[in-house]
Amino acid sequence: MVNIAIRMTLLVLLFGPSGIGGCRDALESPDASESRDDAPSGDAYQTRSIGGPVLFDSERAADAELSELGRLTRAVFVDDGAVFVDRRRVVFVDLDAERIRKVPRAGEGPGEILALRPSVSRVPEGLVVWDDRLRRASSFTQAGEFRQAMALRSIERRQGFIGALDDSSFVFANGPPLDSMPQGMARHSREVRVVSSDGTSRLVAVVPSREYNHVRDPPMYPLRLIPVIFGHTTHLAVSRGRLVVADTAEDSVMVYSRRGDIVARIPMPSRRRVASDRQIAHIRDSLTADWDGRPELPAPFVKPPTPQYDARRGPLPPIDAVKVDANGRIWIRALLMPGDAKQQWTVWDGVQQAFSVEMSVREVLMDADGDRMLVRTMNELGVHRVTVRTLRPMG
Protein backbone atom coordinates (compact mmCIF):
# COMPACT_ATOMS: atom_id res chain seq x y z
CA MET A 1 0.00 0.00 0.00
CA VAL A 2 2.92 2.35 0.66
CA ASN A 3 4.27 1.85 -2.86
CA ILE A 4 0.82 2.22 -4.37
CA ALA A 5 0.25 5.48 -2.48
CA ILE A 6 3.57 6.90 -3.66
CA ARG A 7 2.88 5.92 -7.26
CA MET A 8 -0.55 7.47 -7.24
CA THR A 9 0.82 10.65 -5.72
CA LEU A 10 3.42 10.82 -8.51
CA LEU A 11 0.66 10.61 -11.12
CA VAL A 12 -0.48 14.04 -10.04
CA LEU A 13 2.80 15.51 -11.26
CA LEU A 14 2.01 14.58 -14.85
CA PHE A 15 -0.66 17.28 -14.88
CA GLY A 16 1.53 20.12 -13.63
CA PRO A 17 1.69 23.33 -15.63
CA SER A 18 5.37 23.07 -16.51
CA GLY A 19 5.06 20.31 -19.11
CA ILE A 20 4.54 21.09 -22.79
CA GLY A 21 1.27 19.20 -22.95
CA GLY A 22 -0.09 20.17 -19.57
CA CYS A 23 -3.67 21.56 -19.54
CA ARG A 24 -3.09 24.39 -22.04
CA ASP A 25 -6.79 24.73 -22.85
CA ALA A 26 -7.33 25.66 -19.18
CA LEU A 27 -4.97 28.62 -19.46
CA GLU A 28 -7.68 31.15 -20.24
CA SER A 29 -8.22 33.49 -17.33
CA PRO A 30 -11.52 35.31 -16.81
CA ASP A 31 -9.50 38.50 -16.44
CA ALA A 32 -6.65 39.02 -18.87
CA SER A 33 -5.80 42.49 -17.60
CA GLU A 34 -3.65 41.23 -14.75
CA SER A 35 -1.62 38.72 -16.74
CA ARG A 36 0.26 40.81 -19.32
CA ASP A 37 2.24 42.96 -16.92
CA ASP A 38 5.58 41.53 -18.06
CA ALA A 39 4.74 39.68 -21.26
CA PRO A 40 7.55 39.18 -23.77
CA SER A 41 7.74 42.05 -26.24
CA GLY A 42 8.67 42.05 -29.91
CA ASP A 43 12.22 41.08 -30.81
CA ALA A 44 14.62 42.43 -33.40
CA TYR A 45 14.61 39.18 -35.38
CA GLN A 46 11.75 38.15 -37.66
CA THR A 47 8.53 36.95 -36.07
CA ARG A 48 6.35 34.52 -38.01
CA SER A 49 2.85 33.14 -37.63
CA ILE A 50 1.01 30.12 -39.00
CA GLY A 51 -0.69 30.98 -42.30
CA GLY A 52 -1.03 29.87 -45.87
CA PRO A 53 -3.03 26.92 -47.19
CA VAL A 54 -3.81 23.85 -45.08
CA LEU A 55 -1.54 21.09 -46.40
CA PHE A 56 -3.15 18.37 -44.27
CA ASP A 57 -6.19 18.18 -42.01
CA SER A 58 -6.90 14.97 -40.08
CA GLU A 59 -10.52 16.00 -39.55
CA ARG A 60 -11.15 15.96 -43.31
CA ALA A 61 -9.35 12.67 -44.02
CA ALA A 62 -11.39 9.88 -45.58
CA ASP A 63 -9.78 7.27 -43.34
CA ALA A 64 -11.69 7.05 -40.04
CA GLU A 65 -8.44 6.30 -38.20
CA LEU A 66 -7.37 9.85 -39.03
CA SER A 67 -10.65 11.76 -39.01
CA GLU A 68 -11.57 10.40 -35.56
CA LEU A 69 -8.32 10.73 -33.63
CA GLY A 70 -8.26 9.99 -29.91
CA ARG A 71 -5.95 11.60 -27.37
CA LEU A 72 -2.85 12.29 -29.40
CA THR A 73 0.29 12.55 -27.25
CA ARG A 74 2.94 12.96 -29.96
CA ALA A 75 3.17 13.71 -33.67
CA VAL A 76 6.41 14.02 -35.66
CA PHE A 77 7.38 14.46 -39.28
CA VAL A 78 9.15 11.62 -41.10
CA ASP A 79 10.11 11.31 -44.78
CA ASP A 80 7.02 11.79 -46.97
CA GLY A 81 4.71 11.67 -43.98
CA ALA A 82 4.25 11.83 -40.24
CA VAL A 83 3.80 9.61 -37.20
CA PHE A 84 0.93 10.02 -34.75
CA VAL A 85 1.09 8.49 -31.27
CA ASP A 86 -1.81 7.86 -28.91
CA ARG A 87 -2.61 5.19 -26.32
CA ARG A 88 -0.99 1.94 -27.51
CA ARG A 89 -0.83 3.06 -31.14
CA VAL A 90 1.93 4.40 -33.33
CA VAL A 91 0.33 5.39 -36.63
CA PHE A 92 2.43 6.01 -39.76
CA VAL A 93 0.57 8.43 -42.02
CA ASP A 94 0.97 9.30 -45.70
CA LEU A 95 0.11 13.00 -45.58
CA ASP A 96 -0.36 13.32 -49.36
CA ALA A 97 -2.71 10.36 -49.70
CA GLU A 98 -4.22 10.99 -46.24
CA ARG A 99 -4.13 7.34 -45.29
CA ILE A 100 -2.43 5.11 -42.74
CA ARG A 101 0.56 3.13 -43.91
CA LYS A 102 1.27 1.02 -40.84
CA VAL A 103 -0.24 0.56 -37.37
CA PRO A 104 1.74 -1.59 -34.90
CA ARG A 105 -0.59 -3.78 -32.86
CA ALA A 106 -0.94 -3.96 -29.09
CA GLY A 107 0.97 -6.90 -27.66
CA GLU A 108 4.37 -8.25 -26.67
CA GLY A 109 5.53 -9.60 -30.02
CA PRO A 110 8.04 -8.02 -32.43
CA GLY A 111 6.88 -4.57 -33.46
CA GLU A 112 4.02 -4.58 -30.94
CA ILE A 113 3.44 -2.17 -28.07
CA LEU A 114 2.07 -2.43 -24.53
CA ALA A 115 2.86 1.00 -23.11
CA LEU A 116 -0.08 3.32 -22.49
CA ARG A 117 1.98 6.23 -23.76
CA PRO A 118 4.82 4.99 -25.98
CA SER A 119 7.65 7.42 -26.67
CA VAL A 120 9.00 7.99 -30.18
CA SER A 121 12.26 9.48 -31.39
CA ARG A 122 13.71 10.03 -34.86
CA VAL A 123 16.97 8.34 -35.94
CA PRO A 124 18.63 8.38 -39.40
CA GLU A 125 17.18 4.96 -40.24
CA GLY A 126 13.63 5.95 -39.31
CA LEU A 127 11.98 5.90 -35.91
CA VAL A 128 12.60 4.38 -32.47
CA VAL A 129 9.60 3.57 -30.24
CA TRP A 130 10.27 3.11 -26.52
CA ASP A 131 7.85 0.84 -24.66
CA ASP A 132 8.08 1.59 -20.95
CA ARG A 133 6.14 -1.51 -19.89
CA LEU A 134 8.26 -3.93 -21.92
CA ARG A 135 11.50 -1.93 -21.36
CA ARG A 136 12.11 -2.33 -25.05
CA ALA A 137 13.11 -0.09 -27.97
CA SER A 138 11.64 -1.01 -31.36
CA SER A 139 13.08 0.36 -34.59
CA PHE A 140 10.97 1.15 -37.67
CA THR A 141 11.81 2.43 -41.14
CA GLN A 142 10.50 5.76 -42.41
CA ALA A 143 7.77 3.78 -44.18
CA GLY A 144 6.67 2.15 -40.93
CA GLU A 145 8.15 -1.31 -41.49
CA PHE A 146 9.46 -3.05 -38.36
CA ARG A 147 13.25 -3.49 -38.30
CA GLN A 148 14.34 -4.83 -34.91
CA ALA A 149 13.68 -4.75 -31.17
CA MET A 150 16.23 -4.13 -28.41
CA ALA A 151 15.34 -5.16 -24.87
CA LEU A 152 17.07 -2.97 -22.26
CA ARG A 153 16.30 -4.86 -19.08
CA SER A 154 18.98 -2.96 -17.17
CA ILE A 155 16.89 0.24 -17.42
CA GLU A 156 15.04 0.73 -14.15
CA ARG A 157 11.41 1.83 -13.93
CA ARG A 158 12.37 5.21 -12.50
CA GLN A 159 14.52 5.97 -15.57
CA GLY A 160 12.54 8.02 -18.07
CA PHE A 161 13.17 7.87 -21.81
CA ILE A 162 14.29 11.23 -23.28
CA GLY A 163 15.09 10.24 -26.86
CA ALA A 164 17.44 8.46 -29.26
CA LEU A 165 20.68 9.91 -30.63
CA ASP A 166 21.75 9.70 -34.26
CA ASP A 167 24.02 6.74 -33.48
CA SER A 168 20.95 4.82 -32.18
CA SER A 169 22.03 5.05 -28.55
CA PHE A 170 19.39 6.17 -26.05
CA VAL A 171 19.13 8.95 -23.46
CA PHE A 172 17.46 8.31 -20.09
CA ALA A 173 17.08 10.47 -16.99
CA ASN A 174 16.43 9.25 -13.46
CA GLY A 175 16.53 10.48 -9.88
CA PRO A 176 17.45 9.21 -6.40
CA PRO A 177 15.15 6.83 -4.48
CA LEU A 178 12.12 8.53 -2.94
CA ASP A 179 13.25 7.84 0.61
CA SER A 180 16.37 9.98 0.06
CA MET A 181 14.43 13.16 -0.68
CA PRO A 182 14.56 15.88 1.98
CA GLN A 183 11.52 17.55 3.51
CA GLY A 184 10.50 21.03 2.43
CA MET A 185 10.86 22.85 -0.88
CA ALA A 186 13.60 21.21 -2.90
CA ARG A 187 14.85 20.00 -6.25
CA HIS A 188 16.66 16.69 -6.19
CA SER A 189 19.34 15.59 -8.67
CA ARG A 190 18.64 13.66 -11.86
CA GLU A 191 21.28 11.65 -13.66
CA VAL A 192 21.16 11.85 -17.45
CA ARG A 193 22.75 8.81 -19.10
CA VAL A 194 23.44 7.61 -22.62
CA VAL A 195 22.67 3.89 -22.98
CA SER A 196 23.93 1.84 -25.93
CA SER A 197 21.99 -1.02 -27.51
CA ASP A 198 23.97 -3.56 -25.45
CA GLY A 199 22.91 -1.87 -22.19
CA THR A 200 26.19 -0.07 -21.48
CA SER A 201 25.46 3.16 -19.62
CA ARG A 202 27.50 6.40 -19.51
CA LEU A 203 26.77 9.44 -17.32
CA VAL A 204 26.44 12.63 -19.40
CA ALA A 205 25.07 15.22 -16.97
CA VAL A 206 23.52 15.70 -13.53
CA VAL A 207 20.61 18.14 -13.56
CA PRO A 208 18.04 19.35 -10.99
CA SER A 209 14.50 18.00 -11.08
CA ARG A 210 11.13 19.73 -10.99
CA GLU A 211 10.52 21.78 -7.85
CA TYR A 212 8.48 19.97 -5.18
CA ASN A 213 7.44 20.48 -1.59
CA HIS A 214 8.33 17.22 0.15
CA VAL A 215 6.04 16.41 3.08
CA ARG A 216 6.25 13.32 5.26
CA ASP A 217 2.74 12.26 6.21
CA PRO A 218 2.66 8.69 7.59
CA PRO A 219 1.25 6.16 7.70
CA MET A 220 -0.55 6.39 4.35
CA TYR A 221 2.00 8.69 2.71
CA PRO A 222 5.58 8.16 3.94
CA LEU A 223 6.51 10.89 1.46
CA ARG A 224 3.99 13.15 -0.30
CA LEU A 225 5.25 15.20 -3.22
CA ILE A 226 3.33 18.45 -3.60
CA PRO A 227 3.85 20.09 -7.01
CA VAL A 228 4.84 23.75 -7.09
CA ILE A 229 2.79 25.83 -9.53
CA PHE A 230 5.18 27.89 -11.66
CA GLY A 231 8.03 26.01 -9.98
CA HIS A 232 11.45 25.65 -11.56
CA THR A 233 12.19 22.54 -13.59
CA THR A 234 14.71 21.18 -16.11
CA HIS A 235 13.53 20.54 -19.66
CA LEU A 236 15.41 17.84 -21.58
CA ALA A 237 15.41 17.17 -25.32
CA VAL A 238 17.56 15.34 -27.85
CA SER A 239 18.86 17.18 -30.93
CA ARG A 240 20.37 14.50 -33.17
CA GLY A 241 23.75 13.80 -31.54
CA ARG A 242 23.32 16.33 -28.74
CA LEU A 243 21.40 16.76 -25.50
CA VAL A 244 19.55 20.00 -24.72
CA VAL A 245 19.33 20.88 -21.00
CA ALA A 246 17.20 23.87 -19.99
CA ASP A 247 17.22 24.52 -16.23
CA THR A 248 14.73 27.36 -15.74
CA ALA A 249 16.68 28.66 -12.72
CA GLU A 250 19.73 29.36 -14.91
CA ASP A 251 20.39 32.12 -17.45
CA SER A 252 21.35 29.78 -20.32
CA VAL A 253 20.13 26.66 -22.08
CA MET A 254 23.04 24.22 -22.25
CA VAL A 255 23.74 21.90 -25.19
CA TYR A 256 25.87 18.83 -24.42
CA SER A 257 27.65 16.42 -26.75
CA ARG A 258 26.99 12.71 -26.38
CA ARG A 259 30.19 12.55 -24.30
CA GLY A 260 29.02 15.17 -21.82
CA ASP A 261 30.96 18.20 -23.09
CA ILE A 262 29.20 21.58 -23.27
CA VAL A 263 29.20 22.56 -26.96
CA ALA A 264 26.77 25.51 -26.96
CA ARG A 265 24.96 27.97 -24.69
CA ILE A 266 21.66 29.61 -25.66
CA PRO A 267 20.59 32.63 -23.57
CA MET A 268 17.32 32.43 -21.65
CA PRO A 269 14.78 35.24 -22.11
CA SER A 270 15.84 38.04 -19.78
CA ARG A 271 12.39 39.16 -18.61
CA ARG A 272 10.79 37.40 -15.66
CA ARG A 273 7.09 37.50 -14.87
CA VAL A 274 5.21 37.61 -11.56
CA ALA A 275 2.01 35.63 -10.91
CA SER A 276 -1.09 37.22 -9.40
CA ASP A 277 -3.31 35.51 -6.82
CA ARG A 278 -6.02 35.16 -9.46
CA GLN A 279 -3.72 33.41 -11.91
CA ILE A 280 -2.44 30.97 -9.30
CA ALA A 281 -6.00 30.21 -8.15
CA HIS A 282 -7.07 29.64 -11.75
CA ILE A 283 -4.36 27.03 -12.36
CA ARG A 284 -4.87 25.37 -8.97
CA ASP A 285 -8.61 25.03 -9.62
CA SER A 286 -8.08 23.57 -13.10
CA LEU A 287 -5.56 21.00 -11.82
CA THR A 288 -7.83 19.97 -8.95
CA ALA A 289 -10.82 19.65 -11.29
CA ASP A 290 -8.79 17.47 -13.65
CA TRP A 291 -7.73 15.20 -10.78
CA ASP A 292 -11.27 14.90 -9.37
CA GLY A 293 -12.66 14.15 -12.81
CA ARG A 294 -10.74 10.92 -13.22
CA PRO A 295 -12.64 7.63 -13.09
CA GLU A 296 -12.44 5.68 -9.85
CA LEU A 297 -9.56 3.26 -9.64
CA PRO A 298 -10.33 -0.47 -9.47
CA ALA A 299 -9.60 -2.49 -6.32
CA PRO A 300 -7.17 -2.91 -4.66
CA PHE A 301 -6.04 0.63 -5.49
CA VAL A 302 -7.15 3.45 -3.24
CA LYS A 303 -7.62 6.91 -4.71
CA PRO A 304 -5.61 9.48 -2.73
CA PRO A 305 -7.34 12.66 -1.60
CA THR A 306 -7.39 15.69 -3.88
CA PRO A 307 -3.79 16.94 -3.96
CA GLN A 308 -2.54 20.25 -2.67
CA TYR A 309 -0.43 22.66 -4.68
CA ASP A 310 2.14 25.17 -3.52
CA ALA A 311 2.97 28.12 -5.74
CA ARG A 312 5.95 30.23 -6.74
CA ARG A 313 4.94 33.88 -7.10
CA GLY A 314 8.04 35.37 -8.58
CA PRO A 315 10.31 35.74 -10.23
CA LEU A 316 8.84 32.94 -12.34
CA PRO A 317 10.70 30.64 -14.74
CA PRO A 318 11.33 32.42 -18.07
CA ILE A 319 10.32 29.43 -20.20
CA ASP A 320 8.01 26.44 -19.87
CA ALA A 321 8.78 24.20 -22.89
CA VAL A 322 11.66 23.07 -25.11
CA LYS A 323 11.33 21.03 -28.31
CA VAL A 324 13.62 19.86 -31.10
CA ASP A 325 12.14 19.72 -34.62
CA ALA A 326 12.79 17.50 -37.64
CA ASN A 327 15.68 19.75 -38.74
CA GLY A 328 17.42 19.64 -35.36
CA ARG A 329 16.43 23.23 -34.53
CA ILE A 330 15.74 24.04 -30.88
CA TRP A 331 12.38 25.65 -30.05
CA ILE A 332 12.04 27.48 -26.71
CA ARG A 333 8.71 28.81 -25.48
CA ALA A 334 8.39 31.88 -23.26
CA LEU A 335 6.40 31.23 -20.07
CA LEU A 336 2.67 30.99 -20.82
CA MET A 337 0.28 32.27 -18.15
CA PRO A 338 -3.51 32.50 -17.69
CA GLY A 339 -4.91 35.34 -19.75
CA ASP A 340 -2.29 35.15 -22.52
CA ALA A 341 -3.88 35.09 -25.97
CA LYS A 342 -0.65 34.11 -27.74
CA GLN A 343 2.32 31.85 -27.10
CA GLN A 344 5.76 32.80 -28.39
CA TRP A 345 8.58 30.47 -29.41
CA THR A 346 12.16 31.38 -30.27
CA VAL A 347 13.90 29.07 -32.74
CA TRP A 348 17.63 28.38 -32.68
CA ASP A 349 19.63 26.73 -35.46
CA GLY A 350 22.80 25.71 -33.67
CA VAL A 351 23.90 28.79 -31.72
CA GLN A 352 22.24 31.17 -34.18
CA GLN A 353 18.83 32.60 -33.41
CA ALA A 354 16.77 31.97 -36.54
CA PHE A 355 13.31 33.47 -35.97
CA SER A 356 10.38 33.50 -33.56
CA VAL A 357 6.88 32.08 -33.97
CA GLU A 358 3.65 33.42 -32.49
CA MET A 359 0.74 30.98 -32.07
CA SER A 360 -2.66 30.87 -30.43
CA VAL A 361 -2.73 29.35 -26.95
CA ARG A 362 -5.20 26.76 -28.26
CA GLU A 363 -2.62 25.37 -30.68
CA VAL A 364 -0.13 22.74 -29.50
CA LEU A 365 3.13 22.63 -31.44
CA MET A 366 3.95 19.00 -32.23
CA ASP A 367 6.77 19.33 -34.78
CA ALA A 368 8.23 21.50 -37.54
CA ASP A 369 10.09 20.77 -40.78
CA GLY A 370 11.36 23.81 -42.66
CA ASP A 371 8.36 26.13 -42.87
CA ARG A 372 5.84 23.34 -42.29
CA MET A 373 4.22 23.19 -38.87
CA LEU A 374 2.50 20.13 -37.38
CA VAL A 375 -0.10 21.50 -34.95
CA ARG A 376 -2.70 19.85 -32.72
CA THR A 377 -5.97 21.43 -31.64
CA MET A 378 -8.98 20.13 -29.72
CA ASN A 379 -12.70 20.67 -30.29
CA GLU A 380 -15.37 21.16 -27.64
CA LEU A 381 -15.87 17.38 -27.39
CA GLY A 382 -12.21 16.76 -26.60
CA VAL A 383 -11.43 15.23 -30.02
CA HIS A 384 -7.94 15.99 -31.29
CA ARG A 385 -7.30 17.40 -34.76
CA VAL A 386 -3.92 17.64 -36.49
CA THR A 387 -3.14 20.08 -39.29
CA VAL A 388 -0.06 20.90 -41.35
CA ARG A 389 0.33 24.56 -42.33
CA THR A 390 3.19 26.82 -43.30
CA LEU A 391 4.85 29.76 -41.58
CA ARG A 392 4.71 33.28 -42.95
CA PRO A 393 6.18 36.62 -41.79
CA MET A 394 3.91 38.74 -39.66
CA GLY A 395 2.83 42.21 -40.74
Side-chain angles (χ1 to χ4, degrees):
M1 289 301 297
V2 168
N3 290 334
I4 291 171
I6 292 175
R7 285 187 178 184
M8 293 312 303
T9 302
L10 284 171
L11 286 177
V12 184
L13 305 182
L14 297 176
F15 293 86
S18 297
I20 189 168
C23 302
R24 289 301 168 200
D25 287 339
L27 291 181
E28 289 191 342
S29 172
D31 183 3
S33 62
E34 60 185 51
S35 64
R36 303 293 297 181
D37 52 350
D38 194 21
S41 60
D43 296 289
Y45 55 92
Q46 187 183 56
T47 301
R48 304 179 185 181
S49 63
I50 299 175
V54 177
L55 305 179
F56 171 82
D57 188 343
S58 65
E59 196 171 67
R60 300 176 184 175
D63 195 319
E65 292 280 357
L66 293 177
S67 60
E68 300 176 4
L69 290 173
R71 303 285 293 183
L72 205 67
T73 59
R74 186 83 191 276
V76 297
F77 283 116
V78 293
D79 288 352
D80 302 321
V83 174
F84 297 169
V85 182
D86 65 8
R87 298 172 67 90
R88 300 194 182 191
R89 292 196 314 166
V90 178
V91 182
F92 292 80
V93 182
D94 186 327
L95 295 177
D96 293 329
E98 296 187 353
R99 61 182 174 84
I100 290 176
R101 296 189 296 192
K102 179 76 174 180
V103 183
R105 298 180 301 169
E108 298 186 26
E112 296 179 337
I113 298 168
L114 280 182
L116 293 177
R117 292 186 178 182
S119 300
V120 299
S121 186
R122 277 180 295 254
V123 291
E125 299 80 13
L127 199 76
V128 168
V129 178
W130 172 253
D131 190 320
D132 197 56
R133 289 185 62 183
L134 296 176
R135 318 304 290 169
R136 184 175 70 185
S138 297
S139 175
F140 294 87
T141 66
Q142 293 278 3
E145 298 298 328
F146 173 70
R147 295 179 63 246
Q148 62 178 331
M150 294 159 280
L152 300 177
R153 307 299 184 190
S154 62
I155 302 299
E156 301 177 9
R157 292 288 177 185
R158 64 191 183 93
Q159 291 179 295
F161 180 79
I162 305 302
L165 299 172
D166 53 8
D167 63 354
S168 295
S169 58
F170 312 103
V171 180
F172 291 87
N174 65 354
L178 289 175
D179 57 7
S180 70
M181 295 182 185
Q183 293 191 73
M185 204 80 73
R187 302 175 67 192
H188 61 76
S189 297
R190 301 184 69 192
E191 293 183 348
V192 182
R193 292 183 172 273
V194 172
V195 181
S196 62
S197 57
D198 62 4
T200 304
S201 174
R202 182 178 70 255
L203 180 66
V204 174
V206 178
V207 302
S209 73
R210 184 190 298 266
E211 194 169 16
Y212 306 118
N213 187 8
H214 304 78
V215 178
R216 300 199 179 275
D217 187 16
M220 185 62 180
Y221 300 96
L223 181 66
R224 179 179 293 184
L225 304 183
I226 299 178
V228 178
I229 297 174
F230 293 129
H232 284 295
T233 190
T234 301
H235 302 282
L236 301 172
V238 172
S239 175
R240 297 179 177 172
R242 297 180 176 181
L243 173 69
V244 181
V245 178
D247 179 359
T248 60
E250 300 294 332
D251 57 7
S252 298
V253 176
M254 314 298 289
V255 182
Y256 290 81
S257 71
R258 72 184 80 241
R259 298 182 179 276
D261 302 317
I262 297 176
V263 295
R265 299 173 187 263
I266 298 174
M268 286 276 190
S270 58
R271 293 185 177 179
R272 303 292 177 114
R273 307 180 72 175
V274 177
S276 68
D277 291 340
R278 190 180 183 89
Q279 289 171 324
I280 292 174
H282 182 76
I283 293 183
R284 182 183 285 112
D285 291 345
S286 66
L287 293 172
T288 303
D290 184 83
W291 174 264
D292 290 341
R294 296 187 190 181
E296 291 296 331
L297 297 171
F301 294 94
V302 177
K303 183 179 178 181
T306 301
Q308 297 175 332
Y309 298 94
D310 288 333
R312 173 180 289 278
R313 297 181 179 273
L316 303 183
I319 66 172
D320 63 6
V322 174
K323 289 185 71 70
V324 173
D325 68 13
N327 307 128
R329 298 174 301 190
I330 301 171
W331 292 62
I332 302 173
R333 184 172 68 181
L335 179 66
L336 185 62
M337 296 179 66
D340 288 349
K342 300 291 184 179
Q343 54 178 308
Q344 187 165 359
W345 296 80
T346 55
V347 185
W348 295 76
D349 192 353
V351 295
Q352 298 297 319
Q353 188 171 297
F355 53 89
S356 68
V357 175
E358 191 174 274
M359 302 169 56
S360 165
V361 294
R362 290 192 173 276
E363 296 172 319
V364 178
L365 171 63
M366 307 302 285
D367 198 10
D369 182 11
D371 284 339
R372 296 188 304 160
M373 299 278 287
L374 194 60
V375 176
R376 188 193 75 196
T377 55
M378 182 189 302
N379 64 18
E380 63 277 2
L381 299 177
V383 177
H384 285 178
R385 174 188 184 186
V386 177
T387 58
V388 177
R389 302 189 70 182
T390 57
L391 291 172
R392 64 180 181 183
M394 294 183 65

